[in-house]
Amino acid sequence: MLSLEKRSRQLVGKVAAQAASRERLPSGLWFHDDIRDNFYYASYLHAASLDPDIRVRFDREQAKATAEQVLGLVLELQDRREGSETYGHWPLALGEDPKQASPHPLPVELMGSLMLYFAERSGETLPEDLRTAFEVALKAVYDSRFYDKPLREYGHHEAKYTAAKLLFGSFYGDDELLEDGRRSLKALLARVRDRGMHEYGSQPWFWHWVQAFACARLLLDDADITADLNSMLDYLWSERSLHYIGGAWAGPHARGLSADAPKDGNVGFDYLQYGDFRLPPQLVRAEYAGFLFYEAPEEARIAAMDRLVPVEVKKKVLKPLEDGSDRELHSYTYLTDAYAAGGMWERSEEFDNEQHRWDVTLPLSYELGSSVNQAYFIHPGEGYGEGDLRHESPYTRILPDRSVVMALYPVPEGQDPGIVGVLPKGEWIRDEQALFGLVGGVYLAVFLRYGYEADEQEDRVSVRSTGASNAVVIEAASVEEAESLDIEDLEGFAELMRERAPIFGEGGGSASYRSLHSRRLELAVSEDGTTLARIDGQAVGFGDYLV
C-alpha cells in the first residue's frame, strides 16, 4: 500500500491531469453544468503545477496560468450587487452565457469554506490581483450571512452552515459568529450521537459533512472547537467504516448520483483514508478529497479493511418528518472480505426518489475493471430512465439475511409489473429463470419468478423480467466459502444452486429459500399488504431483526 503522502499526491496529480487535458469552453471555463467543478479542477491543477514531487505531463507554468485564469473567472461570477438577496452567492448551472446565470444558494455552502482554505494555504503563490479578488469574494461571502440559519433538519446543509460560522467567525474576528458556530457544532454532535444520521449512506451529502468539518479542523486552533471537530470527524469516519468494503459503500443509501450506482465511482475520500484499492482511470466528484485529510480512528480503519470475520451491521435510522415526528427505518448489511449484502427494510421517500433499497456489493479492490460492482433489481419508479437504476417504485418488499437478499414486487394491477436489474460482468451461466455467475472471486446465484432477457453491455449485464408479482432471490458466496462446500468451479456452483432453487408461491406474493448458511427464509405479502418474514420459522419484524 502506498503511503498517505504518495496517495495524496497521486490523487492530486490524477485530477490535475484530467483538468489539463480538458478543453476549455469559449467562456474560459471547463464546465457550465456546475460552477463548483471549475473551482475544484483549478485547485488541483494549481497544486500540481507547484509540487515538484507530482509527476506531470503538462507544462507547469502554463498549467498554473490556466488554473489562475479559471479561478479568476469563477470569482467574477459572484453576485456583488448591493442589496441583492443573493449577495455573495454564485450561480450553479451556468447555461450558455455564464454571466447571465442566476445566483443559486447551493455553491457557496461548501465552496465558500473551501475557497477560504485555498486562499489561506495557497494565497502566497497567487498573483496580487487574484489574491485581492479572493479577499473581495470571501468578504462578500462573510457579509452574505448565508450561514445565519438555525438548526432544524440537522442534515448536510446545517453541517456546512456550522463549519462556515466557525471559519468565517474566526477569520474575520467575529466572536459572536464564532460562538454561534461553537454552539451549532455541539448541538449537531449531540444530535448525531443520540439519533444517528438520517442521511444514511448518501455519498454526495456525507462527503460534504466530511469536507466542511475537515476544512474547519485544518484551519482553526481553538482547543475547545478542535476537540469537538475531532469528535465529529471521528464519528463520521466510524460510520463510514461500518459500511466500507474495498473502496465500495455497502448497504442502503438515502440517495446517490450516477457516480454511486451501480458502480461506486466516488472514491477519492476512501482512497486517501484506506488506500486498499486502485484508483480508477478517471476520478469523479473528487471535490476537495485530495486536500482535506483527517485520519479515521485506528480501530475503525482496521475493522473496515479486515473483513475476514463476517460482520452484521444493523442500524435504526430516525428519519424526521415534516410534522415533527420521526419514522423508524431499519437497515441490515452483512459484510465479508469478498462481498457485502443487505438493504433497508422499509421504503422511504427520499430526495429525487433516490433511495437505494438493497444490493450485493463487490469490493473495488477485486479490480473489476470497467464493470459495475453492484447487483440488484428494481421496479422502475418516478425519475427512472433507461440505464439509470437509481429510481424505484414503492412496490418492493425485502428480506436481507447474511449472504442473501429476497425481494418481492407486488405491483398493483394496471401498472407495468416489469422489473429491471444489473449484474457485474463476469462468467455467467444462464438458465431459464436463473443466472449463476463468477465475478471477482465471488459466486452469485440469481433466481427470478419468471423468465428474463439479459443484455451484456460494456460494463454490466442488464436484466429485464416481467410478470405479475415478480420476485428475486440473490445469494453470494466467496470462492473460499464455495470450496468449503466442495465447489471447484462455476459449473459446480450452478449445479448445487439449482438444487436449492427458491419456491415461489403459485398465486404470487411469497417466496421461500434455504440459504447456504442453512437458514430457512420466507417472505410474503398478505392480501392487506402486510409484509410477513420468517427466519427458521421464527417471525421477524423490523425491530426484532435488530436485536
Side-chain angles (χ1 to χ4, degrees):
M1 182 187 299
L2 295 176
S3 67
L4 169 62
E5 183 179 0
K6 289 184 177 179
R7 295 201 303 274
S8 176
R9 285 196 163 95
Q10 185 184 17
L11 200 155
V12 171
K14 186 175 282 285
V15 180
Q18 291 175 201
S21 63
R22 188 179 184 92
E23 185 176 348
R24 285 197 284 170
L25 301 170
S27 64
L29 301 169
W30 289 296
F31 304 94
H32 279 189
D33 53 342
D34 191 329
I35 191 175
R36 296 170 294 189
D37 290 333
N38 294 288
F39 171 66
Y40 300 144
Y41 263 41
S43 298
Y44 281 96
L45 188 60
H46 187 268
S49 72
L50 295 174
D51 189 339
D53 291 325
I54 296 179
R55 296 173 61 184
V56 301
R57 295 183 178 180
F58 49 75
D59 182 270
R60 292 182 185 273
E61 287 299 320
Q62 180 58 50
K64 183 175 184 292
T66 297
E68 291 169 354
Q69 290 168 15
V70 172
L71 289 169
L73 291 170
V74 169
L75 296 179
E76 288 176 3
L77 294 176
Q78 186 184 39
D79 183 359
R80 308 266 180 80
R81 299 170 298 171
E82 293 293 337
S84 169
E85 293 184 357
T86 54
Y87 181 79
H89 287 58
W90 278 269
L92 179 61
L94 302 179
E96 295 184 3
D97 185 357
K99 293 182 179 180
Q100 299 301 315
S102 300
H104 193 281
L106 285 183
V108 74
E109 282 189 8
L110 181 62
M111 192 170 71
S113 295
L114 299 183
M115 281 184 167
L116 179 57
Y117 177 89
F118 179 86
E120 284 288 272
R121 293 300 170 91
S122 304
E124 293 294 324
T125 66
L126 300 177
E128 184 176 354
D129 60 339
L130 188 54
R131 284 202 306 271
T132 301
F134 265 102
E135 292 171 3
V136 171
L138 291 170
K139 183 60 164 58
V141 170
Y142 169 66
D143 290 338
S144 75
R145 311 296 293 186
F146 80 90
Y147 42 75
D148 196 8
K149 298 175 184 177
L151 295 173
R152 289 178 179 168
E153 297 180 0
Y154 293 83
H156 64 290
H157 293 295
E158 284 92 339
K160 289 178 282 187
Y161 300 153
T162 298
K165 290 175 184 178
L166 295 169
L167 286 163
F168 287 93
S170 174
F171 187 72
Y172 288 102
D174 187 333
D175 293 339
E176 184 177 349
L177 179 58
L178 184 64
E179 187 59 32
D180 186 15
R182 188 195 309 265
R183 290 193 300 268
S184 294
L185 175 59
K186 290 182 180 296
L188 266 177
L189 184 56
R191 177 83 167 197
V192 295
R193 281 173 168 171
D194 181 52
R195 295 166 53 94
M197 298 187 72
H198 63 270
E199 296 175 334
Y200 54 91
S202 175
Q203 288 99 312
W205 292 345
F206 182 87
W207 296 130
H208 284 193
W209 280 76
V210 170
Q211 289 174 94
F213 290 122
C215 182
R217 173 64 182 84
L218 292 172
L219 291 183
L220 301 183
D221 56 10
D222 180 289
D224 178 60
I225 294 176
T226 296
D228 283 340
L229 288 169
N230 288 343
S231 296
M232 175 63 83
L233 289 164
D234 284 350
Y235 171 85
L236 292 171
W237 278 107
S238 295
E239 285 292 297
R240 171 67 192 105
S241 292
L242 286 175
H243 293 89
Y244 179 83
I245 174 172
W249 191 312
H253 308 299
R255 77 164 307 216
L257 300 176
S258 57
D260 307 314
K263 180 174 184 177
D264 288 88
N266 188 350
V267 300
F269 305 93
D270 284 334
Y271 183 72
L272 210 56
Q273 186 69 251
Y274 304 105
D276 61 342
F277 63 97
R278 288 188 178 183
L279 278 179
Q282 288 288 115
L283 288 174
V284 294
R285 295 192 66 81
E287 295 184 334
Y288 250 47
F291 304 112
L292 304 174
F293 179 74
Y294 177 88
E295 188 172 37
E298 184 178 10
E299 62 273 18
R301 204 170 63 254
I302 292 174
M305 293 189 287
D306 180 9
R307 300 291 187 195
L308 290 177
V309 177
V311 296
E312 293 177 290
V313 177
K314 302 176 181 181
K315 304 281 286 185
K316 180 172 71 175
V317 177
L318 293 175
K319 181 176 173 59
L321 303 178
E322 291 183 1
D323 63 4
S325 64
D326 294 315
R327 184 189 179 199
E328 287 191 1
L329 304 176
H330 304 85
S331 72
Y332 171 90
T333 311
Y334 180 77
L335 300 103
T336 75
D337 64 332
Y339 63 87
M344 184 72 74
W345 280 80
E346 307 93 341
R347 182 185 189 266
S348 174
E349 291 289 344
E350 301 290 358
F351 182 80
D352 276 358
N353 186 32
E354 289 180 1
Q355 184 189 33
H356 186 65
R357 287 286 299 283
W358 67 271
D359 68 25
V360 173
T361 299
L362 305 182
L364 298 178
S365 51
Y366 270 146
E367 299 182 20
L368 301 173
S370 63
S371 172
V372 303
N373 69 308
Q374 299 162 10
Y376 61 95
F377 284 77
I378 67 168
H379 176 255
E382 182 181 357
Y384 170 77
E386 190 70 30
D388 181 0
L389 277 71
R390 296 177 299 132
H391 310 278
E392 61 184 278
S393 79
Y395 311 120
T396 306
R397 312 296 173 84
I398 71 169
L399 170 57
D401 183 72
R402 298 190 182 177
S403 55
V404 177
V405 180
M406 303 177 69
L408 302 180
Y409 300 89
V411 180
E413 291 186 16
Q415 296 193 35
D416 182 352
I419 61 175
V420 295
V422 60
L423 302 172
K425 297 270 284 187
E427 183 183 355
W428 286 96
I429 293 175
R430 302 181 188 183
D431 285 3
E432 186 176 349
Q433 293 173 225
L435 300 95
F436 308 101
L438 176 58
V439 184
V442 177
Y443 290 106
L444 291 173
V446 183
F447 300 98
L448 297 102
R449 185 188 299 276
Y450 301 106
Y452 61 88
E453 295 178 358
D455 177 24
E456 187 156 342
Q457 300 173 352
E458 182 179 355
D459 67 341
R460 69 190 69 184
V461 177
S462 294
V463 184
R464 293 178 178 274
S465 178
T466 190
S469 298
N470 214 331
V472 175
V473 176
I474 293 185
E475 180 156 23
S478 69
V479 168
E480 290 75 16
E481 289 173 328
E483 288 175 348
S484 71
L485 299 171
D486 295 326
I487 296 171
E488 298 180 352
D489 54 24
L490 179 57
E491 289 284 354
F493 177 74
E495 182 178 350
L496 173 68
M497 299 308 288
R498 288 184 186 113
E499 297 173 356
R500 310 177 68 92
I503 299 173
F504 298 117
E506 291 184 8
S510 68
S512 61
Y513 178 70
R514 182 174 290 279
S515 74
L516 291 174
H517 292 269
S518 294
R519 289 160 72 88
R520 185 158 48 90
L521 311 177
E522 301 171 85
L523 181 64
V525 179
S526 65
E527 291 185 2
D528 65 1
T530 302
T531 302
L532 307 173
R534 291 184 176 86
I535 299 178
D536 288 336
Q538 181 69 43
V540 292
F542 300 145
D544 299 331
Y545 205 64
L546 293 174
V547 176

